[in-house]
Amino acid sequence: MSQLKGACIIGQSGGPTSVINASAYGAIKTALESDSITRVLGALNGIKGVLEDNLIDMGKEDPQELALMKHTPSSALGSCRYKLKDPDQDDTDYKRILEVFRKYDVRYFFYNGGNDSMDTCNKISKFLMKNGYECRVMGIPKTIDNDLAGTDHCPGFGSAAKYIATSVMEVYHDSRVYDTGMITIIECMGRHAGWLTAASSLAAHKGNGPDLIYLPEVPFDIEQFTASVEEIYKKNKKCLVVVSEGIHDKDGTFIAEYANKNMTKDSFGHAQLGGLASFLANYIKAKTGAKVRGIELSLLQRCAAHIASKTDIEESFMAGKAAVENAVAGATDKMVGFERKYVNGKYACETKLFDLTIVANAEKKVPREWINESGNGILEGFIDYALPLIQGQTDLAIEDGLPRFVRLRKVKAEA
Amino acid sequence: MSQLKGACIIGQSGGPTSVINASAYGAIKTALESDSITRVLGALNGIKGVLEDNLIDMGKEDPQELALMKHTPSSALGSCRYKLKDPDQDDTDYKRILEVFRKYDVRYFFYNGGNDSMDTCNKISKFLMKNGYECRVMGIPKTIDNDLAGTDHCPGFGSAAKYIATSVMEVYHDSRVYDTGMITIIECMGRHAGWLTAASSLAAHKGNGPDLIYLPEVPFDIEQFTASVEEIYKKNKKCLVVVSEGIHDKDGTFIAEYANKNMTKDSFGHAQLGGLASFLANYIKAKTGAKVRGIELSLLQRCAAHIASKTDIEESFMAGKAAVENAVAGATDKMVGFERKYVNGKYACETKLFDLTIVANAEKKVPREWINESGNGILEGFIDYALPLIQGQTDLAIEDGLPRFVRLRKVKAEA
């Protein structure tokens, strides 16, 4: 494969994670050190940065400062949720992208994101090929949801899982402190796949976990749910439940929408809505008369870099590095993914390339065989899968007792 | 002062913290090593454990395991919110306490808790003196609320403050990732005192903090609040607000009650209530049309041992240790508190004894001069006060990538 010389663009897209910047840094650092890559450009707010010619010169950042990206949560280059049209319907955006690529002689494009981002990657790659513009396009995955097809797991999941398992252990202790009754309901992210919610079972594995766990993979029956909670509460005076935001009934109606149904105006005439955890807490409180608390982990679970998994950080960095190395070696139109190996029983992870067409827009769910028959608990298979992914503590820089996150100069790139 | 020989009881009371067990461990370990203390008993669920003769023998715990208490959140001995009656009205409980003390020849009583616990301590101490039963009674403070009178700060505050400042920094990054508008409202605990909410200003001090901070110390005007949010949002397309659960209007009505006002039945006929953050988020969304997210830190802020402040852990341990040492040396009817020293400009903390009568039921608020004039921001004075309290990282034991918390045997004590 002939050497391809030119600039590269890296962009980030979709919801951020604690480690998406570790992947971006892996790609940026490797690209800056590569002989084939003449210039490393960062697209601000993902593909929008390309469309608006809003690019920064990563070579103009101080290397020490840039290295802090590895432990900084959220997307340091900014993100977007911009969805490209089907090029056969409207290729305006694609022509603009090609124009900007030509302007900077961009021969490498690295896109760091989830399902939609891999779709974007795929469409751009196909368009450039069709138009005979030589550019190597690589997807670098990230998503706390862990729902990308092909890859064994996704960068970002391990850290969110570690945060969730740890927080659930801590809440477990807190919620048992009084000898009076207490029911606690914790809500995790995950609209269609229950990987994050399942991660709470890692706390149970340590003996400090939920009594009941509900994933979107199994239809949710609010009466069965109430019965299960009441049974455990009657026996133990305590019950800890973890639910996914995406739980829905057999008709596909999200349980969160049960709450919306009762959306009413407050004293100021504004719609008032508490969310799923709050809805279920009030529902169970009314049914049992018990003290019930609903806790929504909200954004905290996807940005808690202070408790990121070292394994996840290093694998995320490796994914970004591999994307550049493989592209320079000639690969294109692929997503970097992970393959799990066990070397004398010890977990190991290697990168592997997946066809973008396969990955784009497919969704990987938690296998039914990892969920108990009643659909309210997680089995050993998941523990074995997830435990290696949360190993190791972050070594993020601390300044005055608080994290020291990256501060980029963001020098506008000139053609 | 003559040496007093006998058993000791230690109990924990009130809402738990990340480090209340560090204080309990400081007291237990020191008592186990003391020549004057013949036996160390733990009261399960605070004073209720004494009233119900539900005591465990701390000497029967494995020392290595017991040491894990130092980094285990929540109250390992269990807590209660039992309030003793005024002995002049009804001394039944006090007589029972004296009876149990006599049964085990208890000559030292250590009570680890907040305002109400110091009141309990004070009443028991006075009753025992009145009845000529020699027993040295010491209060060991804890409260994330940091509102105990006398002491410079309270064990538990530093860790909660570190959690809040760190989480706010992380949410700050997450909430700015898109180039679209976003308003985020974070709710912290603190019904009457705004110490915890003020701690979010430590993130601002690092350049990653809230635009607006509202404490219960200043009456809250929802129209002024809306105007301030709108102004910042118009300018920056982003606005990050941190509010205390205890904010109230000039008439003393809690803003959270504005939400209650619109409490209505959901489709199942149950009252539905979202809480303060959710109420304000919906209120601002209706006013601005912006994307708004409300986040309640809930229990997480008081049990997040994984990010406890090392300074707080060590000072909490020291408070428990000092309680025992001072009692053995003859002190009684006191609470151990902290005095701040600056040794060549460097923060140092020493224990100091405070009269229980002074401490009991008094509440320390955030000084008005540490809050800006408009009442929506925190000034340098607070930063200087709080920054030393969040220094240092915990070294809690990790097993399989998750915290290893204490598992007590809880062997029932025999007389």
Side-chain angles (χ1 to χ4, degrees):
Chain A
M1 176 72 65
S2 68
Q3 191 195 27
L4 179 64
K5 261 188 177 292
C8 83
I9 288 179
I10 170 148
Q12 301 176 301
S13 180
T17 78
S18 295
V19 298
I20 181 170
N21 288 326
S23 288
Y25 178 63
I28 292 164
K29 186 172 186 292
T30 312
L32 285 168
E33 292 162 357
S34 160
D35 303 333
S36 302
I37 296 173
T38 53
R39 219 176 152 192
V40 182
L41 304 173
L44 295 179
N45 298 106
I47 199 64
K48 283 174 88 175
V50 179
L51 292 166
E52 294 159 7
D53 192 354
N54 194 9
L55 307 170
I56 60 170
D57 193 327
M58 302 315 298
K60 299 234 166 90
E61 301 291 340
D62 164 55
Q64 270 79 29
E65 186 68 29
L66 197 62
L68 294 174
M69 270 184 83
K70 193 173 175 184
H71 298 101
T72 300
S74 186
S75 308
L77 301 176
S79 182
C80 68
R81 288 202 179 278
Y82 188 85
K83 203 163 164 62
L84 290 175
K85 297 196 184 62
D86 176 344
D88 301 335
Q89 313 290 316
D90 177 355
D91 64 358
T92 322
D93 284 346
Y94 300 88
K95 285 179 172 152
R96 172 59 178 161
I97 291 165
L98 182 51
E99 183 182 16
V100 173
F101 277 21
R102 284 213 168 93
K103 177 179 172 185
Y104 295 91
D105 187 33
V106 173
R107 297 295 168 176
Y108 296 92
F109 180 61
F110 304 105
Y111 211 45
N112 191 187
N115 282 313
D116 292 344
S117 313
M118 293 309 126
D119 179 54
T120 302
C121 237
N122 187 36
K123 286 176 175 157
I124 292 172
S125 177
K126 303 292 184 292
F127 180 87
L128 296 174
M129 281 190 236
K130 215 176 100 191
N131 290 263
Y133 180 83
E134 190 175 11
C135 181
R136 293 171 189 165
V137 177
M138 297 286 273
I140 306 168
K142 73 85 208 163
T143 169
I144 59 168
D145 293 330
N146 201 44
D147 59 354
L148 286 173
T151 183
D152 174 77
H153 58 281
C154 301
F157 172 65
S159 295
K162 189 184 182 87
Y163 171 85
I164 288 167
T166 305
S167 300
V168 167
M169 283 178 78
E170 292 168 338
V171 168
Y172 170 94
H173 281 270
D174 191 291
S175 62
R176 298 178 117 60
V177 71
Y178 298 112
D179 58 353
T180 49
M182 172 81 167
I183 297 169
T184 312
I185 300 169
I186 299 175
E187 174 186 347
C188 296
M189 285 180 168
R191 199 79 176 145
H192 305 294
W195 295 102
L196 288 171
T197 306
S200 65
S201 66
L202 296 168
H205 165 71
K206 288 281 144 196
N208 308 134
D211 301 292
L212 298 163
I213 301 174
Y214 295 93
L215 275 48
E217 279 78 359
V218 179
F220 184 86
D221 180 319
I222 197 155
E223 297 311 332
Q224 274 174 29
F225 162 73
T226 309
S228 306
V229 172
E230 276 181 317
E231 190 189 340
I232 292 164
Y233 179 70
K234 281 206 185 78
K235 206 170 82 218
N236 309 338
K237 284 172 75 180
K238 310 274 182 239
C239 185
L240 179 55
V241 187
V242 181
V243 298
S244 165
E245 63 172 329
I247 53 169
H248 51 75
D249 60 28
K250 59 175 174 15
D251 309 321
T253 308
F254 286 113
I255 307 307
E257 286 172 25
Y258 290 9
N260 297 34
K261 283 210 197 89
N262 84 305
M263 239 179 39
T264 46
K265 304 273 174 275
D266 64 19
S267 38
F268 297 85
H270 308 128
Q272 179 74 2
L273 175 61
L276 176 63
S278 158
F279 165 73
L280 288 176
N282 285 292
Y283 182 84
I284 288 293
K285 185 183 287 162
K287 288 279 184 184
T288 61
K291 182 163 185 251
V292 190
R293 193 188 277 264
I295 301 174
E296 184 187 354
L297 295 184
S298 189
L299 296 182
L300 300 162
Q301 67 201 289
R302 77 176 187 191
C303 62
H306 72 271
I307 188 165
S309 150
K310 189 173 180 59
T311 301
D312 189 26
I313 294 167
E314 295 307 331
E315 289 180 354
S316 300
F317 180 89
M318 178 174 74
K321 185 168 178 287
V324 173
E325 288 170 344
N326 281 283
V328 166
T332 185
D333 203 35
K334 304 270 189 251
M335 179 191 84
V336 175
F338 295 141
E339 194 167 36
R340 176 187 302 242
K341 293 254 163 75
Y342 285 95
V343 184
N344 358 317
K346 211 172 156 301
Y347 166 87
C349 177
E350 289 176 8
T351 58
K352 183 183 172 187
L353 299 185
F354 294 88
D355 211 324
L356 279 173
T357 324
I358 302 167
V359 180
N361 295 315
E363 260 179 342
K364 191 178 70 178
K365 309 282 182 98
V366 176
R368 185 61 181 85
E369 61 267 27
W370 287 355
I371 306 168
N372 69 3
E373 203 180 334
S374 359
N376 59 16
I378 300 299
L379 303 175
E380 203 56 30
F382 175 83
I383 304 288
D384 299 338
Y385 166 83
L387 210 50
L389 311 181
I390 67 164
Q391 299 306 308
Q393 309 303 102
T394 179
D395 44 20
L396 87 157
I398 299 292
E399 187 180 81
D400 275 353
L402 293 171
R404 169 65 166 88
F405 295 137
V406 70
R407 301 179 197 124
L408 296 177
R409 295 174 59 214
K410 297 192 177 175
V411 180
K412 187 104 175 59
E414 303 297 335
Chain B
M1 177 72 66
S2 67
Q3 191 194 27
L4 179 65
K5 263 188 176 292
C8 83
I9 288 180
I10 168 147
Q12 301 178 299
S13 180
T17 78
S18 295
V19 297
I20 182 170
N21 287 326
S23 288
Y25 178 62
I28 292 165
K29 185 174 188 294
T30 311
L32 285 168
E33 292 160 359
S34 161
D35 304 332
S36 303
I37 297 173
T38 53
R39 220 175 152 193
V40 182
L41 304 173
L44 295 180
N45 298 107
I47 198 64
K48 285 174 87 174
V50 178
L51 292 167
E52 295 159 9
D53 192 356
N54 194 8
L55 307 171
I56 60 171
D57 193 328
M58 302 314 300
K60 299 237 167 93
E61 300 292 338
D62 166 54
Q64 270 79 28
E65 186 68 29
L66 197 61
L68 294 174
M69 270 184 83
K70 194 174 175 183
H71 298 102
T72 299
S74 186
S75 307
L77 300 176
S79 182
C80 68
R81 288 200 180 281
Y82 189 85
K83 206 164 162 60
L84 290 175
K85 297 195 183 62
D86 177 344
D88 302 333
Q89 313 291 320
D90 177 357
D91 63 359
T92 322
D93 285 346
Y94 300 89
K95 284 177 172 153
R96 172 60 178 160
I97 290 166
L98 183 51
E99 183 182 14
V100 173
F101 278 21
R102 284 212 168 94
K103 176 178 174 186
Y104 294 91
D105 186 34
V106 173
R107 298 295 169 178
Y108 295 92
F109 180 60
F110 304 104
Y111 211 45
N112 190 188
N115 282 313
D116 293 343
S117 312
M118 293 310 126
D119 179 53
T120 303
C121 236
N122 186 36
K123 286 174 175 158
I124 292 172
S125 177
K126 302 293 183 290
F127 181 86
L128 295 174
M129 280 191 238
K130 217 176 95 188
N131 291 264
Y133 180 83
E134 190 177 11
C135 180
R136 294 175 188 162
V137 177
M138 297 287 275
I140 306 168
K142 73 84 209 161
T143 169
I144 59 169
D145 292 332
N146 201 44
D147 59 354
L148 287 173
T151 181
D152 174 76
H153 58 281
C154 301
F157 172 64
S159 295
K162 190 183 181 89
Y163 172 84
I164 288 167
T166 303
S167 299
V168 166
M169 282 179 79
E170 292 168 337
V171 168
Y172 170 94
H173 281 271
D174 191 290
S175 62
R176 294 177 124 58
V177 70
Y178 298 111
D179 58 353
T180 48
M182 173 81 167
I183 297 169
T184 311
I185 300 169
I186 299 175
E187 173 186 347
C188 296
M189 285 179 168
R191 198 82 174 144
H192 304 296
W195 295 100
L196 288 172
T197 305
S200 65
S201 67
L202 296 168
H205 164 71
K206 289 279 144 197
N208 308 135
D211 301 292
L212 299 163
I213 301 175
Y214 295 93
L215 275 49
E217 279 78 359
V218 180
F220 184 85
D221 180 320
I222 198 154
E223 296 311 332
Q224 274 176 30
F225 162 74
T226 309
S228 305
V229 171
E230 275 182 317
E231 189 189 342
I232 291 163
Y233 179 69
K234 281 207 184 77
K235 208 169 81 218
N236 310 337
K237 286 172 73 180
K238 310 274 182 242
C239 185
L240 179 55
V241 188
V242 181
V243 298
S244 166
E245 64 173 329
I247 53 169
H248 51 76
D249 60 28
K250 58 175 173 17
D251 309 319
T253 308
F254 286 113
I255 306 307
E257 287 173 24
Y258 289 11
N260 299 31
K261 284 213 198 88
N262 84 305
M263 239 180 37
T264 45
K265 303 276 172 276
D266 63 17
S267 37
F268 297 87
H270 310 127
Q272 179 74 1
L273 176 61
L276 178 63
S278 157
F279 164 72
L280 287 177
N282 285 293
Y283 183 83
I284 287 294
K285 185 183 287 165
K287 288 279 184 184
T288 60
K291 182 161 186 253
V292 190
R293 192 187 279 263
I295 301 173
E296 183 186 356
L297 295 184
S298 189
L299 296 182
L300 300 162
Q301 69 202 286
R302 77 177 188 192
C303 62
H306 72 271
I307 187 165
S309 150
K310 188 172 182 59
T311 301
D312 189 26
I313 295 167
E314 296 307 331
E315 289 179 353
S316 301
F317 179 89
M318 178 174 73
K321 184 169 180 285
V324 174
E325 288 171 345
N326 282 282
V328 165
T332 186
D333 203 36
K334 303 271 188 244
M335 180 191 87
V336 174
F338 295 142
E339 195 168 37
R340 177 186 303 241
K341 294 252 164 75
Y342 284 94
V343 183
N344 353 316
K346 212 173 156 301
Y347 165 88
C349 177
E350 289 176 6
T351 57
K352 184 184 171 185
L353 300 185
F354 294 88
D355 217 324
L356 278 173
T357 324
I358 301 167
V359 179
N361 296 315
E363 260 181 344
K364 192 178 71 179
K365 308 283 181 102
V366 176
R368 186 59 180 88
E369 62 266 29
W370 287 355
I371 306 168
N372 69 4
E373 204 182 334
S374 354
N376 59 18
I378 299 300
L379 303 175
E380 203 57 27
F382 174 83
I383 304 289
D384 299 338
Y385 166 83
L387 209 51
L389 311 180
I390 66 164
Q391 298 305 308
Q393 309 303 104
T394 178
D395 44 20
L396 87 159
I398 300 290
E399 187 180 81
D400 274 353
L402 293 170
R404 169 66 167 86
F405 295 137
V406 70
R407 301 181 197 123
L408 295 177
R409 295 173 59 213
K410 297 190 177 176
V411 180
K412 187 102 175 57
E414 304 299 336

